[in-house]
Amino acid sequence: MIFSSDNWAGAHPLIAESLVKAASGYASAYGTSDLDKAVEKKLSEVFEREVAVFFVGTGTAANSLAIASANRPGGHTFCHTHAHVNADECGAPEFFAHGSRLAPVDGLLGRMDPEHLKTAIRRTQSGGVHGGQPMAITLTQATEAGTVYSLDEIQAISAIARSNDLPLHMDGARFANALVTLGATPAEMTWMSGIDLLSFGGTKNGCWCAEALILFDTAKAREMSYLRKRSAQLFSKSRFIAAQFDAYLQDELWLDLARHANAMAAKLAEGIARSNSARLAWPSGSNELFVILNAETAKTLQDKGAVFYDWPAPQEVAATMDSDEGLYRLVTSFATTQDDVGQFLATC
Amino acid sequence: MIFSSDNWAGAHPLIAESLVKAASGYASAYGTSDLDKAVEKKLSEVFEREVAVFFVGTGTAANSLAIASANRPGGHTFCHTHAHVNADECGAPEFFAHGSRLAPVDGLLGRMDPEHLKTAIRRTQSGGVHGGQPMAITLTQATEAGTVYSLDEIQAISAIARSNDLPLHMDGARFANALVTLGATPAEMTWMSGIDLLSFGGTKNGCWCAEALILFDTAKAREMSYLRKRSAQLFSKSRFIAAQFDAYLQDELWLDLARHANAMAAKLAEGIARSNSARLAWPSGSNELFVILNAETAKTLQDKGAVFYDWPAPQEVAATMDSDEGLYRLVTSFATTQDDVGQFLATC
Amino acid sequence: MIFSSDNWAGAHPLIAESLVKAASGYASAYGTSDLDKAVEKKLSEVFEREVAVFFVGTGTAANSLAIASANRPGGHTFCHTHAHVNADECGAPEFFAHGSRLAPVDGLLGRMDPEHLKTAIRRTQSGGVHGGQPMAITLTQATEAGTVYSLDEIQAISAIARSNDLPLHMDGARFANALVTLGATPAEMTWMSGIDLLSFGGTKNGCWCAEALILFDTAKAREMSYLRKRSAQLFSKSRFIAAQFDAYLQDELWLDLARHANAMAAKLAEGIARSNSARLAWPSGSNELFVILNAETAKTLQDKGAVFYDWPAPQEVAATMDSDEGLYRLVTSFATTQDDVGQFLATC
Amino acid sequence: MIFSSDNWAGAHPLIAESLVKAASGYASAYGTSDLDKAVEKKLSEVFEREVAVFFVGTGTAANSLAIASANRPGGHTFCHTHAHVNADECGAPEFFAHGSRLAPVDGLLGRMDPEHLKTAIRRTQSGGVHGGQPMAITLTQATEAGTVYSLDEIQAISAIARSNDLPLHMDGARFANALVTLGATPAEMTWMSGIDLLSFGGTKNGCWCAEALILFDTAKAREMSYLRKRSAQLFSKSRFIAAQFDAYLQDELWLDLARHANAMAAKLAEGIARSNSARLAWPSGSNELFVILNAETAKTLQDKGAVFYDWPAPQEVAATMDSDEGLYRLVTSFATTQDDVGQFLATC
């Protein structure tokens, strides 16, 4: 009953198998091998457009490079207050982008409120040179709150990006989970909706270490190749990242894994909706659930081996909670079983 | 007949097997798993001392973090002119260390000349605040020229480091290859000889992606943990790096692999010494050979499938070469076979 | 009737005279002249303690160097939301400190609320390596809201700094104005109250360009000398900054100028308190007033030549304002005359 | 007899007078005053072209901002080995440009050798992403060796810049000294010869602190305004820099001062040419002379009050020196008198 994070899971057997296959033989280094090239081509097919692909080691690296590529002195990158870039990356985006700033924007359930975003951009512009300048926007899909931006909501953000001439980045650490929820195509959820750069995450969804920064404007690729190398993110045996993505994209494995994780979350949600000792804090659309449990139930679950984290409650949720209740996050993954879910529900 | 680089090889079967084993089950993320801890402990045993271990994705990352941890404004990090940090990392060390400078020091065959090093340090100190200040020294073992610093030579450098109060870093991308050449223990070749930080490379010697920055002063570990995360080098599924090192260090696999690679290089060297159409540019002590071939021989070899790179000839070597000769680098690895060597020698 | 900013004033005649005197003759460069040394000594007397003095060109430079000297990877520097470093320096502190972050803390009228500060520090500490780490605290005296921290209030902040082992910086762009308001000594308002570094501003109070970063811990001076030079803030003809401070500190000129500016502000405040068409938004303690005017009065004043800026109203103030009212900032300086004040009051 | 540096002189009386004039009255801050605008316009006239002007506090700032504006990841800025940016700015250019590298190029007497420059650029380009990429070229006019690039020589460099698509910066800390030597117009020595950015120095030639970064491509002005503010180089009372330049440019004062300094150097050179105990190390073309003195003469001069620095001798010069001889630098300025020169020559 591991619901702590999708990065506690290992790697899917097909991914592991692909790694083993890649282990033998020689391949040219630093992303130049046939396998690297084949996977890059495959990604262009997946996105129905020629894309530039940069394999990197971590989601933080992909996000930070995306932001760094938009760099302007005194620049502000607008993101949700609880976005991973802002809350969980130890300042990597600011380091990669030479001290430019992340400008947090509020919004319910992990999604930036377009009006707040506009206000934040205007405020940055109002101070002349003293207040700095807008530089980029980044949104997270699925969000840190487990919710998913609809295509319309993404387009509302991208319209603001366009009208302010700002590049729009999507942190897709849980890209597949959002995609299958929306039932959209990768193209529809990205460049067709105005996304310029994408952190395409495979790690949380069954790879061990497979992240790709995808540029929909291939003219930016040359500069990014130096940015990546300069950031120590160019892997000599890059083929092993390619090998993971190769299996990941084969026969829609990536979508199947996301569908499974989401289905397990949905099942958990259904059970919790029927429970007397637990309730959902808000509806989710991916593989993350936020659940209110009383202390006793939480303890019982943990005693029985369930692993999950408590979570800071947003004010509007805290207002609905009793003093002995807490907010908890449950994350499912490709590895979550019906059994895990059943055991959890049996207790709460 | 792939002699282009040891990073063209894949992963040793035992490493691949360990990756597969790690793929199943859950493990806590970000370097906190039991396996991560066990490998860290194992490394303390290997080095006969409590060490702080930081797994990272690339050798460039390990080197750059080491340098960054010594950061001083206007700082100069002394390295050999041809060191990987200076010649092949696209400015990553300067980026990680906020614009501090790499100060190249000459020396024959990849080894910094202690007298040149002293002069370079003195020169930096002579300009007052305008000229900046010494900050660190980094040496490469084995060197980019395939040579190996003796323990005495390392200690000559570390004496200079001590007397100038500078931390001394070793870039050990080919640590194992140098170690087996010297017949020294890991402790002797590092902290017992005055090394403060070590980039302990596994990738070139049979892992797919296993690099560790090792601090012999564990008091520096806290700050390094933030430096690593801030540089996007903390892997969520860190256990997969641990798993590689686990197999790598098991039953001295790492030393066996290095001995094999070195032996293949030695065999090549012996054959070349007997050849009429090839000669060694200088004696090597690791898995890299530098060979002078005439154009025809080089072409014939390449036509038969040998892959190797030409290399810029140092002035003193160029002076000994005919106009139709070129300098070439041959690198062996764990994967090099007697057959590869035999085929090569049969042609030259 | 120039109330736009104290930096619209020129230089006091005694400062200008001192510049002229310094113009003739030779002096050794880069802060090594006798005059430089004499002024540094004088500052040690002013602060009743040996201090290390770094002349720089702008307040932004002094603030940014102070923060840079505390640099930690993933570091957070806590400051008031409206602090100059956060709102008006185009990211200079983040740039100087290599991408470390400014963490805004709320509090009424420009002063950080100690409880909010504690919460913000705790929050930073709670995320492990992902959330970064506390690095420094900076407060502004007098604040951007024209208010002044009492000695007790400074000490409440410095107690938090101490218990978290964080250096405490004071942005003293209007140091003298606050000092004469409190009737404290420079020592009392700084190191005796736990301040570690001070941006000691002369520019706004009658110099043309005289800012000094003062370190109460002289052991930090060596590193700062490199930080300053590396930031292009070491002036070759540094004696001209020294000359300004020489006159500034002579016979308490600096305190007289601040007393005058404050007195002019107080006179304005008294008049406004009696006015029907204007009222103070909040009580001030320095040379900045925040005034609520209706649109008509504001326009009349501007038509008569008064220059002043409108200001974003804090929520609690906005709640008290009519729809045709606006919030405005009035700043007095050494150059403000009784006449200016009289003319202004005659209209409102 | 102060020949240590032109920055040991103070400010010319007309400059000081202009500062006094600027001291009274109000002016809008941060470079927006009428005087700022007037001087900017005047500079456009001086350069016979619309230019964008950025006043800054130090030459190091102007140089570093110029380089920063060309920033590329892994970038190399080519400069002469002994250029001020490389030897005397404590890494400010690398800090401002986020860790990009200065790539030293040799050449006789302070001037980059075009062939060496081409080789250095080619070398940078040859390493793929690992070796970084060319980013900018900077030359110093007059050079650190007191020599002056002819227009042809500047154009030889700018042709290389053009063909490699690199911006070309001129460090003009001693711009006026070079200009009057060449008898060229400011336009001819800069944009007409392919210069893109100029550090236009006034400090060494009679101002106290007046440096301007001049962009010949005004489209780059917007970004530079943020770069300058972000680097803490935007002065609130900017009018005082403008006031210095106002007097400096009035009635060709700047050229007269440079002519005087150069004439004093020429007089010194003539006398030294006739001396038995001193000789010129090489012919100079500006206000810096490099002189070989035997130890006794040097000591006698210093005993009589002459101040000058010894200088590291280039190899080809050292080869011509006796063991009791040293190389010394003599710098004249607007403040040097015939008397100073006469006294010096009377002794050597």
Side-chain angles (χ1 to χ4, degrees):
Chain A
M1 287 197 287
I2 304 293
F3 299 108
S4 43
S5 178
D6 30 13
N7 60 32
W8 283 43
H12 187 271
L14 288 170
I15 307 286
E17 187 183 296
S18 188
L19 279 170
V20 171
K21 221 173 75 187
S24 61
Y26 291 94
S28 64
Y30 297 116
T32 61
S33 79
D34 291 347
L35 185 57
D36 286 273
K37 295 299 162 197
V39 172
E40 286 176 30
K41 191 147 166 277
K42 175 77 179 171
L43 279 163
S44 286
E45 289 164 22
V46 164
F47 285 96
E48 302 174 51
R49 174 179 176 148
E50 198 196 340
V51 297
V53 177
F54 293 86
F55 298 141
V56 295
T58 64
T60 295
N63 294 339
S64 298
L65 284 168
I67 290 172
S69 74
N71 198 37
R72 290 181 182 170
H76 290 210
T77 297
F78 301 91
C79 62
H80 191 275
T81 306
H82 299 135
H84 202 263
V85 289
N86 194 43
D88 291 299
E89 301 190 348
C90 194
E94 293 105 315
F95 168 57
F96 277 58
H98 309 307
S100 74
R101 188 179 289 188
L102 292 171
V105 174
D106 283 330
L108 289 178
L109 301 182
R111 287 176 289 226
M112 278 183 284
D113 182 304
E115 291 310 313
H116 290 191
L117 174 60
K118 281 188 217 166
T119 304
I121 293 173
R122 267 199 306 270
R123 199 184 308 122
T124 298
Q125 290 165 328
S126 71
V129 81
H130 307 280
Q133 58 181 331
M135 160 177 141
I137 304 174
T138 175
L139 58 80
T140 313
Q141 177 81 322
T143 76
E144 301 295 318
T147 55
V148 171
Y149 285 89
S150 70
L151 295 189
D152 280 354
E153 286 168 334
I154 296 173
Q155 288 159 21
I157 302 289
S158 73
I160 299 171
R162 281 305 151 269
S163 71
N164 287 281
D165 200 21
L166 299 175
L168 178 58
H169 167 251
M170 176 182 279
D171 175 356
R174 295 187 178 96
F175 184 86
N177 302 92
L179 194 72
V180 299
T181 294
L182 290 187
T185 66
E188 284 167 353
M189 201 168 84
T190 57
W191 62 272
M192 284 182 179
S193 293
I195 300 294
D196 298 301
L197 310 96
L198 168 68
S199 297
F200 182 70
T203 306
K204 284 178 159 60
N205 192 33
C207 297
W208 98 247
C209 149
E211 303 287 320
L213 177 58
I214 291 180
L215 310 187
F216 296 108
D217 178 357
T218 56
K220 300 270 172 69
R222 193 183 176 283
E223 212 61 6
M224 183 56 77
S225 70
Y226 288 94
L227 272 175
R228 177 177 60 173
K229 174 69 192 175
R230 199 264 311 251
S231 307
Q233 290 287 341
L234 177 59
F235 286 72
S236 59
K237 296 185 177 174
S238 171
R239 65 162 123 165
F240 285 98
I241 299 183
Q244 294 175 71
F245 275 126
D246 191 41
Y248 188 66
L249 298 172
Q250 186 73 30
D251 298 329
E252 302 206 339
L253 174 64
W254 65 303
L255 301 177
D256 290 343
L257 299 183
R259 277 186 204 108
H260 174 82
N262 287 11
M264 291 300 100
K267 213 169 184 76
L268 262 178
E270 282 165 37
I272 286 164
R274 286 191 305 266
S275 161
N276 290 326
S277 55
R279 64 185 193 282
L280 291 175
W282 57 80
S284 161
S286 66
N287 64 323
E288 294 195 312
L289 295 184
F290 291 82
V291 181
I292 298 166
L293 302 172
N294 62 43
E296 204 189 306
T297 309
K299 177 141 194 348
T300 309
L301 279 160
Q302 284 160 346
D303 288 348
K304 294 196 175 169
V307 182
F308 50 86
Y309 290 135
D310 58 346
W311 212 252
Q315 229 172 326
E316 66 274 18
V317 171
T320 72
M321 287 161 53
D322 284 348
S323 66
D324 73 332
E325 289 183 327
L327 179 66
Y328 299 92
R329 187 186 73 161
L330 304 178
V331 192
T332 58
S333 76
F334 79 92
T336 307
T337 61
Q338 302 264 13
D339 235 45
D340 293 331
V341 173
Q343 271 186 272
F344 189 95
L345 292 177
T347 307
C348 79
Chain B
M1 286 200 285
I2 304 292
F3 298 108
S4 43
S5 178
D6 30 13
N7 60 32
W8 283 42
H12 187 271
L14 288 170
I15 307 287
E17 188 184 294
S18 189
L19 279 170
V20 171
K21 222 173 75 188
S24 60
Y26 291 95
S28 65
Y30 297 116
T32 62
S33 79
D34 291 347
L35 186 57
D36 286 273
K37 295 298 163 198
V39 172
E40 286 176 30
K41 191 149 167 276
K42 175 76 179 171
L43 279 163
S44 285
E45 288 164 21
V46 164
F47 284 96
E48 302 173 53
R49 174 178 177 146
E50 198 197 341
V51 297
V53 177
F54 294 87
F55 298 141
V56 294
T58 64
T60 295
N63 293 340
S64 298
L65 284 168
I67 291 172
S69 74
N71 198 37
R72 290 181 182 169
H76 290 210
T77 297
F78 302 92
C79 62
H80 191 275
T81 305
H82 300 135
H84 202 264
V85 289
N86 194 43
D88 292 298
E89 301 190 347
C90 194
E94 294 104 315
F95 168 58
F96 276 59
H98 309 308
S100 75
R101 189 180 289 189
L102 293 170
V105 174
D106 282 329
L108 290 178
L109 300 182
R111 287 177 289 227
M112 276 184 285
D113 181 304
E115 291 311 313
H116 290 192
L117 174 58
K118 281 188 217 166
T119 304
I121 293 173
R122 266 200 306 271
R123 198 184 308 121
T124 298
Q125 289 165 329
S126 71
V129 80
H130 308 281
Q133 58 181 332
M135 161 176 142
I137 304 175
T138 176
L139 59 79
T140 313
Q141 179 79 325
T143 75
E144 302 295 319
T147 56
V148 172
Y149 284 90
S150 70
L151 295 189
D152 281 353
E153 288 169 332
I154 296 173
Q155 287 159 22
I157 302 288
S158 72
I160 299 171
R162 282 304 153 271
S163 72
N164 287 281
D165 200 21
L166 299 176
L168 179 57
H169 167 251
M170 176 182 279
D171 175 356
R174 295 189 178 94
F175 184 86
N177 301 92
L179 194 71
V180 299
T181 294
L182 290 186
T185 67
E188 286 166 353
M189 201 168 83
T190 57
W191 63 271
M192 285 183 179
S193 293
I195 300 294
D196 299 301
L197 311 96
L198 168 68
S199 297
F200 182 71
T203 306
K204 284 178 158 60
N205 192 33
C207 297
W208 97 248
C209 150
E211 303 287 320
L213 177 58
I214 292 180
L215 310 188
F216 296 107
D217 179 356
T218 56
K220 300 271 171 68
R222 193 182 176 285
E223 212 62 6
M224 184 56 76
S225 70
Y226 289 96
L227 272 175
R228 178 178 56 174
K229 174 68 191 176
R230 198 265 309 251
S231 308
Q233 289 289 340
L234 178 58
F235 286 72
S236 58
K237 297 185 177 174
S238 172
R239 64 160 123 167
F240 284 98
I241 299 183
Q244 293 175 71
F245 275 126
D246 192 39
Y248 187 66
L249 298 172
Q250 185 73 31
D251 298 329
E252 303 205 339
L253 175 64
W254 64 303
L255 301 176
D256 290 343
L257 299 182
R259 277 186 204 109
H260 174 81
N262 287 10
M264 292 299 100
K267 212 170 185 75
L268 261 179
E270 282 166 38
I272 287 164
R274 285 192 304 267
S275 160
N276 290 325
S277 55
R279 65 185 193 280
L280 291 175
W282 57 81
S284 161
S286 66
N287 64 323
E288 293 195 313
L289 294 184
F290 291 81
V291 181
I292 297 166
L293 303 172
N294 62 43
E296 204 190 305
T297 308
K299 179 146 193 341
T300 309
L301 279 160
Q302 284 161 343
D303 288 348
K304 293 194 177 171
V307 183
F308 49 87
Y309 291 135
D310 56 347
W311 212 252
Q315 228 172 327
E316 66 274 18
V317 173
T320 73
M321 288 162 53
D322 285 346
S323 65
D324 73 331
E325 289 184 327
L327 179 67
Y328 299 92
R329 188 185 73 161
L330 304 179
V331 193
T332 57
S333 75
F334 79 92
T336 306
T337 62
Q338 302 265 12
D339 235 46
D340 294 330
V341 172
Q343 271 186 274
F344 189 95
L345 292 177
T347 307
C348 80
Chain C
M1 287 199 289
I2 305 292
F3 298 109
S4 42
S5 177
D6 30 13
N7 60 32
W8 283 43
H12 187 270
L14 289 170
I15 307 286
E17 188 184 294
S18 188
L19 279 170
V20 171
K21 222 173 76 187
S24 61
Y26 291 94
S28 64
Y30 297 116
T32 62
S33 79
D34 292 346
L35 185 58
D36 286 272
K37 295 298 162 198
V39 171
E40 287 176 30
K41 192 150 166 275
K42 175 76 179 172
L43 279 163
S44 286
E45 289 164 21
V46 164
F47 285 96
E48 303 175 49
R49 175 179 177 146
E50 199 196 339
V51 297
V53 177
F54 293 87
F55 298 140
V56 294
T58 64
T60 295
N63 294 339
S64 298
L65 284 168
I67 291 171
S69 75
N71 198 39
R72 290 180 181 169
H76 290 209
T77 297
F78 301 91
C79 62
H80 191 275
T81 305
H82 300 135
H84 202 264
V85 289
N86 194 43
D88 291 299
E89 301 190 346
C90 193
E94 294 104 314
F95 168 57
F96 276 59
H98 309 306
S100 74
R101 189 180 288 190
L102 293 171
V105 174
D106 283 329
L108 289 178
L109 301 182
R111 286 176 290 226
M112 278 183 284
D113 181 304
E115 291 311 312
H116 290 190
L117 174 59
K118 281 188 218 166
T119 304
I121 293 173
R122 266 199 307 269
R123 198 184 308 123
T124 298
Q125 290 164 330
S126 70
V129 79
H130 307 281
Q133 57 182 333
M135 159 177 143
I137 304 175
T138 175
L139 58 80
T140 312
Q141 179 78 325
T143 74
E144 301 295 319
T147 55
V148 171
Y149 285 90
S150 71
L151 296 189
D152 280 355
E153 288 169 333
I154 296 173
Q155 287 159 22
I157 302 288
S158 72
I160 298 171
R162 283 304 152 269
S163 71
N164 286 283
D165 200 22
L166 298 176
L168 179 57
H169 167 251
M170 176 182 279
D171 175 358
R174 294 188 179 94
F175 184 85
N177 302 91
L179 194 71
V180 299
T181 294
L182 290 187
T185 66
E188 286 167 353
M189 200 167 86
T190 56
W191 62 272
M192 285 182 179
S193 293
I195 300 294
D196 299 300
L197 310 97
L198 168 68
S199 297
F200 181 70
T203 305
K204 283 179 159 61
N205 191 33
C207 297
W208 98 247
C209 150
E211 303 287 321
L213 177 59
I214 292 180
L215 310 188
F216 296 108
D217 178 356
T218 56
K220 300 269 171 70
R222 192 181 177 284
E223 212 61 7
M224 184 56 77
S225 70
Y226 288 95
L227 272 175
R228 177 177 59 173
K229 174 69 192 177
R230 198 265 309 252
S231 307
Q233 289 289 340
L234 178 58
F235 286 72
S236 58
K237 297 185 178 174
S238 172
R239 64 161 124 167
F240 285 98
I241 299 183
Q244 294 175 71
F245 275 126
D246 191 40
Y248 187 67
L249 299 172
Q250 186 73 31
D251 299 329
E252 303 206 338
L253 175 64
W254 65 303
L255 301 176
D256 291 342
L257 299 182
R259 278 187 203 108
H260 174 81
N262 287 10
M264 291 300 99
K267 213 168 184 76
L268 261 178
E270 282 166 38
I272 287 164
R274 285 192 304 267
S275 160
N276 289 327
S277 55
R279 64 185 194 281
L280 291 174
W282 57 81
S284 162
S286 67
N287 63 323
E288 293 195 314
L289 295 184
F290 291 81
V291 181
I292 297 166
L293 302 172
N294 61 43
E296 203 189 308
T297 308
K299 178 145 193 344
T300 309
L301 279 161
Q302 284 160 344
D303 287 348
K304 293 194 176 171
V307 182
F308 50 85
Y309 291 136
D310 57 347
W311 213 251
Q315 228 172 328
E316 65 274 18
V317 172
T320 72
M321 288 162 52
D322 284 347
S323 65
D324 73 332
E325 290 183 327
L327 180 66
Y328 299 92
R329 187 186 73 161
L330 305 178
V331 192
T332 58
S333 77
F334 79 93
T336 308
T337 62
Q338 301 266 12
D339 234 48
D340 293 332
V341 173
Q343 271 185 273
F344 189 95
L345 292 177
T347 307
C348 81
Chain D
M1 287 198 287
I2 304 293
F3 299 108
S4 42
S5 178
D6 31 12
N7 60 32
W8 283 43
H12 187 271
L14 289 170
I15 307 287
E17 188 184 292
S18 188
L19 279 169
V20 172
K21 222 172 77 186
S24 60
Y26 291 94
S28 64
Y30 297 117
T32 61
S33 79
D34 291 347
L35 186 57
D36 286 272
K37 295 299 162 198
V39 172
E40 287 177 29
K41 192 150 166 273
K42 175 76 180 173
L43 280 163
S44 285
E45 289 164 20
V46 164
F47 284 96
E48 303 174 52
R49 174 176 177 150
E50 198 196 341
V51 296
V53 177
F54 293 87
F55 298 140
V56 295
T58 64
T60 296
N63 293 339
S64 298
L65 285 169
I67 291 172
S69 74
N71 198 39
R72 292 182 181 168
H76 290 209
T77 297
F78 301 91
C79 61
H80 191 274
T81 306
H82 300 135
H84 201 264
V85 289
N86 194 44
D88 292 299
E89 301 190 346
C90 194
E94 293 104 316
F95 168 57
F96 276 59
H98 309 307
S100 75
R101 188 180 289 190
L102 292 171
V105 174
D106 282 329
L108 289 178
L109 301 182
R111 288 176 289 225
M112 278 183 285
D113 181 304
E115 290 310 313
H116 291 191
L117 174 59
K118 282 188 217 166
T119 304
I121 293 173
R122 267 198 306 269
R123 199 185 309 122
T124 298
Q125 289 164 329
S126 71
V129 80
H130 307 279
Q133 58 181 331
M135 159 177 143
I137 304 174
T138 175
L139 58 79
T140 313
Q141 177 80 322
T143 76
E144 302 295 317
T147 55
V148 171
Y149 285 89
S150 69
L151 296 189
D152 280 354
E153 287 169 334
I154 296 173
Q155 287 159 21
I157 302 289
S158 72
I160 298 170
R162 281 306 151 269
S163 72
N164 287 281
D165 200 21
L166 299 175
L168 178 58
H169 167 250
M170 176 182 279
D171 175 357
R174 295 187 179 94
F175 184 85
N177 303 91
L179 194 71
V180 298
T181 295
L182 290 186
T185 66
E188 285 167 354
M189 202 168 84
T190 56
W191 62 271
M192 284 182 180
S193 293
I195 300 295
D196 298 300
L197 310 97
L198 168 67
S199 297
F200 182 70
T203 305
K204 284 179 159 58
N205 192 33
C207 298
W208 99 247
C209 150
E211 302 287 322
L213 177 58
I214 292 180
L215 310 188
F216 296 108
D217 178 356
T218 55
K220 301 270 172 69
R222 193 182 176 285
E223 212 61 7
M224 184 56 76
S225 70
Y226 288 95
L227 272 175
R228 177 177 59 172
K229 174 68 192 175
R230 198 265 311 250
S231 308
Q233 289 287 341
L234 177 58
F235 287 72
S236 59
K237 297 185 177 174
S238 172
R239 65 161 124 167
F240 285 98
I241 299 183
Q244 293 175 70
F245 275 127
D246 191 39
Y248 187 67
L249 298 172
Q250 185 74 31
D251 299 330
E252 303 206 340
L253 174 64
W254 65 303
L255 301 177
D256 291 342
L257 299 182
R259 278 186 203 111
H260 174 82
N262 287 11
M264 291 300 99
K267 214 170 183 74
L268 261 178
E270 282 165 39
I272 287 164
R274 287 191 304 266
S275 161
N276 290 325
S277 55
R279 64 184 193 281
L280 292 175
W282 56 81
S284 162
S286 67
N287 64 324
E288 293 195 315
L289 295 184
F290 291 82
V291 180
I292 297 167
L293 302 172
N294 62 44
E296 202 189 307
T297 309
K299 178 143 193 346
T300 309
L301 280 160
Q302 283 160 345
D303 288 349
K304 294 195 175 171
V307 183
F308 51 86
Y309 291 135
D310 58 345
W311 212 252
Q315 229 172 326
E316 65 274 19
V317 172
T320 73
M321 287 161 52
D322 284 348
S323 65
D324 72 331
E325 290 183 327
L327 179 66
Y328 299 92
R329 187 186 74 162
L330 305 178
V331 192
T332 58
S333 75
F334 78 93
T336 307
T337 62
Q338 301 265 11
D339 235 46
D340 292 332
V341 173
Q343 270 185 274
F344 189 94
L345 292 178
T347 306
C348 80

